[in-house]
Amino acid sequence: MKVGFIGLGNMGLPMAASLAAAGHELTVWNRTESKAAPLKEKGARVARSPAEAARGAEVVFSMLADDAAVTSAVFGQDGLLAGLAPGAVHVSSSTLSVALSERLAEAHASAGQRYLSAPVFGRPAAAASKQLWVVAAGPKQDVDRCRPLLEALGRGLTVLGDSAPAANVVKLSGNFLIASMMEALAESFALTRKSGIEPKVFLEVFQSVFARSPIFEGYAQLIAEEKYSPAGFKMRLGLKDVELVLGAARTAEVPMPLASLVKDQFLGGVAQGHGDWDWSALGALVAERAGLKQGG
Amino acid sequence: MKVGFIGLGNMGLPMAASLAAAGHELTVWNRTESKAAPLKEKGARVARSPAEAARGAEVVFSMLADDAAVTSAVFGQDGLLAGLAPGAVHVSSSTLSVALSERLAEAHASAGQRYLSAPVFGRPAAAASKQLWVVAAGPKQDVDRCRPLLEALGRGLTVLGDSAPAANVVKLSGNFLIASMMEALAESFALTRKSGIEPKVFLEVFQSVFARSPIFEGYAQLIAEEKYSPAGFKMRLGLKDVELVLGAARTAEVPMPLASLVKDQFLGGVAQGHGDWDWSALGALVAERAGLKQGG
Amino acid sequence: MKVGFIGLGNMGLPMAASLAAAGHELTVWNRTESKAAPLKEKGARVARSPAEAARGAEVVFSMLADDAAVTSAVFGQDGLLAGLAPGAVHVSSSTLSVALSERLAEAHASAGQRYLSAPVFGRPAAAASKQLWVVAAGPKQDVDRCRPLLEALGRGLTVLGDSAPAANVVKLSGNFLIASMMEALAESFALTRKSGIEPKVFLEVFQSVFARSPIFEGYAQLIAEEKYSPAGFKMRLGLKDVELVLGAARTAEVPMPLASLVKDQFLGGVAQGHGDWDWSALGALVAERAGLKQGG
Amino acid sequence: MKVGFIGLGNMGLPMAASLAAAGHELTVWNRTESKAAPLKEKGARVARSPAEAARGAEVVFSMLADDAAVTSAVFGQDGLLAGLAPGAVHVSSSTLSVALSERLAEAHASAGQRYLSAPVFGRPAAAASKQLWVVAAGPKQDVDRCRPLLEALGRGLTVLGDSAPAANVVKLSGNFLIASMMEALAESFALTRKSGIEPKVFLEVFQSVFARSPIFEGYAQLIAEEKYSPAGFKMRLGLKDVELVLGAARTAEVPMPLASLVKDQFLGGVAQGHGDWDWSALGALVAERAGLKQGG
């Protein structure tokens, strides 16, 4: 296929290289043109503007730093919007706001163009070794058309449905899960360090017990299926354990705001009469506060 | 070895069975005696009190529900303390408060007895299939002596050092990590559900991207080694992404207190001049607030 | 003076009436024109657009619901910006974002017009009885020129300095203080109610002890002056008391997230070696996390 | 009356002096006896133990630093419990845990003695000038009997009911309100300082607008009466304002965890369909999470 690629940063460059390696004909654009050199050597054409990169392409990827960079590359002078042919597809892989993704969907539709959102999970090294995971959303026919390209980027693909911004919500939620785990780890390492345990030893426990284990997956499944009863581990016991964590943190003088947050969530669940539900019923408490009906 | 086992609940029963299967001679006690029947059939002796289960044993395990149950079984009438021979070892596998673990260490020392703390990670099914992970702490000679028993319980063992209560801190920290991940998942599922994404599809993404992947492990390592620079992903970008999460949550009307907490942590880091550090430097911010020196 | 007034809602109507009562010549505009009737009866002229209300006026007030309403009334067709004479002043009393206030400052400056930000504290009843408190910011000469009008609105005026958006920050901070006190009250009433105390009795205590007392004022002064030592009441005692609150909340099963937040702040202060500072040194902890230097 | 007084610290000494000034016959005890000198000069008898201070007294006050000090003075050797005559009253004014207050109630009842809880609001200066506010709880006949003493301590008294520990909950809730206001002030001062506003100017606004004003009182009344509709100021507007606060905080780079907490509470209220309620309906949201029924 004739493919345009806009944005050759740490992520974009290896992604474009994967497409080239899969045999597609590439025209690339980057604000700093010199970054395109490695692709030029492999036969890619280097465009002077996003519009030029889009001209004649069936599909154009964009992989840029943030909303501002995408807004400029798409809506600016000689932007993607001006160059993309009717019926051609813009595949946006950047981590964008949902609002900008909605605006892109509307703008491309108005111009008779197609739009997919397809952000990726993985760091530069994963991009280079085709280990990215792609989450794509948009009209089925466009996803099908781009599937060979999306599959050339990484080790797998999840298709989320018709509405392109959904993929942005999922990508953002994934980054939120990482940030949350880091806060949890930060508090755990602070507690264990102040309690006299070597960080490398706690790391070893984390690696042995949690990493690559099905623990988190199992809880994700309970929440996805809203299957909180019968309990594998009751919420009142979860509350007790988090209180013991806070007790140890008090003794060691370690503030643990995430532990306090979880404690108050469990305490609310117990106060509302759900102490015998599984502790994963945090899922139900949070959903209720968001105005969601159970199972709805 | 002659081994006592106190507490035959969902966890204790399969753990005791593992010890029996490994060829050790068991005397067991449970408040509700009928629970001991399956072990009796396999040749275990059933004691009438914790003291009786301890008498003559080289090592006695306890696996009970909470501090109160352990306090009663050890310090109560006909308790373990009264029955355990000088030089014999009490291995406590319950999830206890650090304070009670310290009290047990002192009491056994006063009585000329030995004490190890060896809580386990894993659910009843893992106990039955010898898939538990054991974290043990206490004097090295006692750990060495009990090693064959500890290894018979599960798939691996981490030894934490001389001070028994350290194992309790680690066990509690592990449960805290699970509870934190559940809160993060609860908020993510609420956000994606209200944004129109099927829970089972988001679950699929979670399974593909996070579960059994080295992502969390990698961040744990950065925090353990306090290696926050050069950044793989800068804190100011982490802040931006969490703000996009909160923006999406605003649109969908989903309160996400953990996302707010992490946002404020990142914002504090940026305000204090660390925007170019890796976003895992949450580890440094939390440690500093706990009064820990970097690397100290 | 010849005064324009844009926005005759619950707040704007009595404010405009105060200006009329002080003898100023009014031209008013409201989206729903009928709301202007009471002022028309008192001799005010009713304009058909914000531009018309501004034409010929020395000073034009705006008091509208939100950023969107102000943006439309100022920048829209026949908007204030188009009608205001060079040298005439726009006094914005709405509760605006700082960003919009900055945009207004720039737009009026470009047009050779003057701009003050002067939001008010008080509810409609206070506006009707001239009990509002006005916080004004902008160039001194403009504040001086508008002073008679600003003083006609309420019982007092604080002038904040040259930069108009500062008044918006102060107004927003004031509303934040109210919202915070409501969360604190909400948690306190929940705790006392579940502990068997009649809400009206706790209200009586609140009225007797806190309302109209100098307690909060005293603490505000300590924080303003960063005078945290010697302590009137040490942070470690503050920590102890909040822990007792959380203990009572545990017993009554009342989640108190604000109490947890404050507990973690105090615990962090103690962990960092400030346990002997006054508990108002929360001010120092929060300022440090914002990257502020003490006294700077 | 013949009155014992145990604990002559910053608070106890002026309180005992108030009782002496009101003409009561005092026997006092303090761990460090020299502190009793000023009272001795005024005719008070100095006891060698809490028991001796209690012997022969109709009423004994205790005003000590914490649970540990009270436990020791009451239950220790030569403690108050041993010296107090049957029918005589122990009035505990210390800031205690609810749990210890319950234990005191039981212990005195078992000994045929009477027990009131009567903590005070106010700092040492207020104690010296009889400006304390007393909250008393316990059997009505005992409150009536001690009323002249309680009224001699300060400017007023609220009687809370039969159950002594209720007074401890109210005292702790009061200290929680102060700590919460300090956190709110700390965040507000950080935001305004970083936005270029002099702390003394923001202090002036706080003094003019909030201190000694009926604002907080008005909201406390709405929460006490659960009168959230019709709204004076709608929750969705409260949400908007707190979001503007967080926007200003983002620009100034000031982490404001309390603002984030309140934002999420409002957002939850809006998500659950209560956006048109008064913003004080935080009271309803918090109560619901505590398992309280509206109005119940």
Side-chain angles (χ1 to χ4, degrees):
Chain A
M1 280 204 244
K2 297 186 70 170
V3 176
F5 204 105
I6 290 172
L8 302 171
N10 293 338
M11 291 297 295
L13 188 62
M15 286 168 67
S18 293
L19 295 175
H24 301 285
E25 191 179 326
L26 241 64
T27 306
V28 302
W29 176 83
N30 194 58
R31 208 178 37 167
T32 309
E33 198 179 305
S34 58
K35 290 264 187 80
L39 291 169
K40 198 174 177 182
E41 279 172 30
K42 291 178 191 160
R45 207 161 60 83
V46 179
R48 297 240 172 112
S49 69
E52 191 187 324
R55 227 159 271 141
E58 295 161 78
V59 177
V60 182
F61 281 80
S62 62
M63 186 64 184
L64 295 154
D66 53 25
D67 275 29
V70 172
T71 301
S72 160
V74 174
F75 298 102
Q77 211 184 351
D78 293 321
L80 197 157
L81 200 64
L84 197 66
V89 189
H90 174 201
V91 179
S92 165
S93 289
S94 314
T95 300
L96 298 184
S97 71
V98 174
L100 178 55
S101 194
E102 284 168 353
R103 188 182 161 202
L104 287 169
E106 286 165 22
H108 286 301
S110 296
Q113 302 159 349
R114 320 293 303 169
Y115 170 66
L116 289 187
S117 184
V120 299
F121 284 99
R123 309 273 289 240
S129 56
K130 290 202 192 182
Q131 290 299 307
L132 298 177
W133 190 273
V134 183
V135 287
K140 191 175 178 313
Q141 66 192 89
D142 299 321
V143 173
D144 288 345
R145 198 164 140 205
C146 298
R147 186 178 289 268
L149 300 167
L150 297 171
E151 289 179 347
L153 292 174
R155 63 185 169 94
L157 168 68
T158 302
V159 179
L160 292 166
D162 281 356
S163 171
N168 301 91
V169 174
V170 166
K171 168 64 183 170
L172 292 171
S173 296
N175 281 13
F176 163 64
L177 287 173
I178 296 173
S180 298
M181 179 46 70
M182 288 195 299
E183 173 70 22
L185 286 165
E187 297 185 11
S188 300
F189 272 102
L191 173 61
T192 50
R193 263 179 77 193
K194 265 199 112 173
S195 303
I197 296 150
E198 285 289 311
K200 68 178 180 194
V201 175
F202 186 67
L203 174 63
E204 188 192 311
V205 173
F206 182 75
Q207 288 169 324
S208 308
V209 175
F210 293 102
R212 307 180 197 212
S213 101
I215 292 185
F216 296 143
E217 196 174 344
Y219 285 111
Q221 195 162 350
L222 292 177
I223 294 173
E225 298 172 356
E226 297 176 79
K227 218 186 141 185
Y228 304 126
S229 181
F233 188 68
K234 291 184 182 179
M235 190 175 283
R236 68 176 76 258
L237 296 180
L239 173 57
K240 185 206 74 170
D241 278 7
V242 178
E243 289 177 325
L244 294 179
V245 170
L246 289 169
R250 178 63 186 87
T251 303
E253 291 185 354
V254 176
M256 297 180 71
L258 175 47
S260 294
L261 187 161
V262 171
K263 183 262 294 171
D264 283 319
Q265 299 281 60
F266 282 142
L267 182 55
V270 168
Q272 292 177 290
H274 309 320
D276 288 332
W277 285 5
D278 192 76
W279 63 335
S280 60
L282 277 180
L285 301 176
V286 169
E288 189 193 347
R289 218 158 293 163
L292 286 162
K293 303 289 172 227
Q294 180 125 9
Chain B
M1 280 205 244
K2 297 185 71 170
V3 177
F5 205 105
I6 290 173
L8 301 173
N10 293 337
M11 290 298 293
L13 188 62
M15 287 168 68
S18 293
L19 296 174
H24 301 286
E25 191 180 326
L26 242 64
T27 306
V28 302
W29 175 82
N30 195 59
R31 208 179 36 168
T32 309
E33 199 179 306
S34 59
K35 290 264 187 80
L39 292 168
K40 198 173 177 182
E41 280 174 28
K42 291 176 192 162
R45 206 161 62 83
V46 180
R48 297 242 172 112
S49 69
E52 190 187 325
R55 226 160 271 141
E58 296 160 78
V59 178
V60 181
F61 281 79
S62 62
M63 185 64 183
L64 295 154
D66 55 24
D67 276 30
V70 171
T71 302
S72 158
V74 174
F75 298 100
Q77 210 183 355
D78 292 322
L80 196 157
L81 201 63
L84 197 66
V89 190
H90 172 201
V91 179
S92 164
S93 290
S94 315
T95 301
L96 296 184
S97 71
V98 174
L100 179 54
S101 193
E102 283 167 353
R103 187 182 163 203
L104 288 168
E106 286 165 23
H108 286 300
S110 296
Q113 303 159 349
R114 320 293 304 170
Y115 170 66
L116 289 186
S117 183
V120 298
F121 285 100
R123 309 271 291 238
S129 56
K130 290 200 193 183
Q131 288 301 305
L132 298 176
W133 191 273
V134 182
V135 288
K140 190 174 179 313
Q141 65 192 89
D142 299 320
V143 173
D144 288 345
R145 197 164 139 205
C146 297
R147 187 178 287 269
L149 299 168
L150 298 172
E151 290 180 345
L153 291 175
R155 64 185 168 92
L157 167 69
T158 301
V159 178
L160 292 166
D162 280 357
S163 171
N168 301 92
V169 174
V170 166
K171 167 63 183 171
L172 291 171
S173 297
N175 282 13
F176 163 63
L177 287 173
I178 296 173
S180 298
M181 179 46 70
M182 288 195 299
E183 174 69 23
L185 286 166
E187 295 186 11
S188 300
F189 272 102
L191 173 60
T192 50
R193 264 178 76 191
K194 264 199 112 172
S195 302
I197 296 149
E198 285 288 312
K200 68 178 180 198
V201 175
F202 185 66
L203 174 63
E204 188 192 311
V205 174
F206 182 76
Q207 288 169 325
S208 307
V209 176
F210 293 102
R212 305 180 199 212
S213 101
I215 292 185
F216 296 143
E217 197 174 345
Y219 285 111
Q221 194 162 352
L222 292 177
I223 294 174
E225 297 172 357
E226 297 177 78
K227 217 186 143 184
Y228 304 127
S229 181
F233 189 68
K234 290 184 182 179
M235 191 177 282
R236 67 176 77 258
L237 297 178
L239 174 57
K240 186 207 72 171
D241 279 6
V242 179
E243 289 177 325
L244 294 179
V245 170
L246 288 169
R250 178 62 185 88
T251 303
E253 292 185 352
V254 176
M256 296 180 72
L258 175 46
S260 294
L261 187 161
V262 171
K263 184 263 294 173
D264 283 319
Q265 299 281 59
F266 282 144
L267 182 55
V270 168
Q272 290 177 293
H274 309 319
D276 288 332
W277 285 4
D278 192 76
W279 63 336
S280 60
L282 278 180
L285 302 177
V286 169
E288 189 193 349
R289 218 158 293 163
L292 286 162
K293 303 288 173 226
Q294 182 126 9
Chain C
M1 281 205 241
K2 297 185 72 171
V3 176
F5 205 106
I6 289 173
L8 301 173
N10 293 338
M11 290 298 294
L13 189 62
M15 287 168 67
S18 293
L19 295 175
H24 301 286
E25 193 179 325
L26 243 64
T27 305
V28 302
W29 175 81
N30 195 59
R31 210 178 35 167
T32 309
E33 199 179 305
S34 59
K35 289 263 186 81
L39 291 169
K40 197 174 178 182
E41 278 174 28
K42 290 176 192 163
R45 208 159 62 82
V46 179
R48 297 240 172 113
S49 69
E52 192 187 323
R55 225 159 271 140
E58 295 161 78
V59 177
V60 182
F61 281 80
S62 61
M63 185 65 185
L64 295 154
D66 54 23
D67 276 29
V70 172
T71 302
S72 159
V74 173
F75 297 100
Q77 210 184 354
D78 293 322
L80 197 157
L81 200 64
L84 198 66
V89 190
H90 173 202
V91 179
S92 165
S93 290
S94 314
T95 301
L96 297 183
S97 71
V98 174
L100 179 55
S101 193
E102 284 167 354
R103 187 181 164 204
L104 287 169
E106 287 165 21
H108 286 300
S110 297
Q113 302 159 350
R114 318 296 301 171
Y115 170 65
L116 288 187
S117 183
V120 299
F121 285 99
R123 308 272 290 239
S129 56
K130 291 199 192 184
Q131 289 300 305
L132 298 175
W133 191 273
V134 182
V135 288
K140 189 175 179 314
Q141 65 191 88
D142 299 321
V143 173
D144 287 346
R145 198 165 139 204
C146 296
R147 187 177 288 270
L149 299 168
L150 297 172
E151 290 180 346
L153 292 175
R155 65 186 168 91
L157 168 67
T158 301
V159 178
L160 293 167
D162 281 356
S163 171
N168 301 92
V169 174
V170 166
K171 167 63 184 170
L172 291 171
S173 297
N175 281 13
F176 163 63
L177 288 172
I178 296 173
S180 299
M181 179 45 69
M182 288 194 300
E183 173 70 21
L185 286 166
E187 296 185 11
S188 300
F189 273 102
L191 173 60
T192 51
R193 264 177 75 191
K194 264 198 112 173
S195 303
I197 295 150
E198 285 289 310
K200 68 178 181 195
V201 175
F202 185 67
L203 174 62
E204 189 192 310
V205 174
F206 182 76
Q207 288 169 327
S208 306
V209 175
F210 294 102
R212 307 180 197 211
S213 101
I215 291 185
F216 296 142
E217 198 174 344
Y219 285 111
Q221 195 162 351
L222 292 176
I223 294 173
E225 298 172 356
E226 298 177 77
K227 218 185 141 186
Y228 304 126
S229 179
F233 188 69
K234 291 183 182 179
M235 192 177 281
R236 67 176 76 259
L237 296 179
L239 174 57
K240 184 206 73 172
D241 279 6
V242 179
E243 289 177 325
L244 293 179
V245 170
L246 289 169
R250 179 63 186 87
T251 304
E253 292 185 352
V254 176
M256 296 180 73
L258 175 46
S260 294
L261 187 161
V262 171
K263 182 263 295 173
D264 284 319
Q265 299 281 61
F266 281 143
L267 182 55
V270 168
Q272 291 177 292
H274 308 320
D276 288 332
W277 285 5
D278 191 76
W279 63 336
S280 60
L282 276 180
L285 302 177
V286 168
E288 190 193 347
R289 219 158 291 164
L292 286 162
K293 302 288 173 228
Q294 181 127 8
Chain D
M1 281 204 242
K2 299 186 69 170
V3 176
F5 204 106
I6 289 173
L8 301 172
N10 293 338
M11 290 298 294
L13 189 63
M15 286 169 68
S18 293
L19 295 175
H24 301 284
E25 190 179 328
L26 242 65
T27 306
V28 303
W29 176 83
N30 195 59
R31 209 179 34 167
T32 309
E33 198 179 307
S34 59
K35 289 263 186 81
L39 290 168
K40 197 175 178 181
E41 278 175 29
K42 291 176 191 162
R45 208 159 62 82
V46 179
R48 298 240 172 113
S49 70
E52 191 186 323
R55 226 158 271 139
E58 295 160 78
V59 177
V60 181
F61 280 81
S62 62
M63 186 64 185
L64 294 155
D66 54 24
D67 276 28
V70 172
T71 302
S72 158
V74 173
F75 297 101
Q77 208 182 357
D78 293 321
L80 197 157
L81 200 64
L84 197 66
V89 189
H90 172 202
V91 179
S92 165
S93 290
S94 314
T95 301
L96 297 184
S97 71
V98 174
L100 178 55
S101 193
E102 284 167 353
R103 187 182 162 202
L104 287 168
E106 285 164 24
H108 286 301
S110 296
Q113 302 159 349
R114 319 295 303 173
Y115 171 65
L116 288 186
S117 183
V120 299
F121 285 100
R123 310 269 291 237
S129 57
K130 290 200 191 183
Q131 289 299 306
L132 298 175
W133 191 273
V134 183
V135 287
K140 191 175 179 311
Q141 67 193 86
D142 299 320
V143 173
D144 287 346
R145 197 164 140 204
C146 296
R147 187 177 287 268
L149 300 168
L150 297 172
E151 288 180 345
L153 292 175
R155 64 185 169 92
L157 168 68
T158 302
V159 178
L160 293 167
D162 280 357
S163 170
N168 301 91
V169 174
V170 166
K171 168 64 183 170
L172 291 170
S173 297
N175 281 14
F176 164 63
L177 287 172
I178 296 173
S180 298
M181 178 47 69
M182 288 195 299
E183 173 70 22
L185 286 165
E187 296 186 11
S188 300
F189 272 102
L191 173 61
T192 51
R193 264 178 76 191
K194 265 198 113 171
S195 304
I197 296 150
E198 285 288 312
K200 69 178 179 196
V201 176
F202 185 66
L203 174 62
E204 190 192 310
V205 174
F206 182 75
Q207 289 169 325
S208 306
V209 175
F210 293 102
R212 306 180 199 212
S213 101
I215 291 185
F216 296 142
E217 196 175 345
Y219 285 111
Q221 196 163 350
L222 291 177
I223 294 173
E225 298 172 357
E226 296 176 80
K227 215 185 144 187
Y228 304 126
S229 179
F233 188 69
K234 290 183 182 179
M235 191 177 282
R236 67 175 77 258
L237 297 179
L239 173 57
K240 185 206 72 171
D241 279 7
V242 179
E243 288 177 325
L244 293 179
V245 170
L246 289 170
R250 179 63 186 86
T251 303
E253 292 184 352
V254 176
M256 296 180 72
L258 175 46
S260 294
L261 187 161
V262 171
K263 183 264 293 173
D264 284 319
Q265 299 281 60
F266 282 144
L267 182 55
V270 168
Q272 292 177 292
H274 308 320
D276 288 332
W277 285 6
D278 193 76
W279 63 335
S280 60
L282 278 180
L285 301 177
V286 169
E288 189 193 347
R289 219 158 291 163
L292 285 162
K293 303 288 173 228
Q294 181 125 7

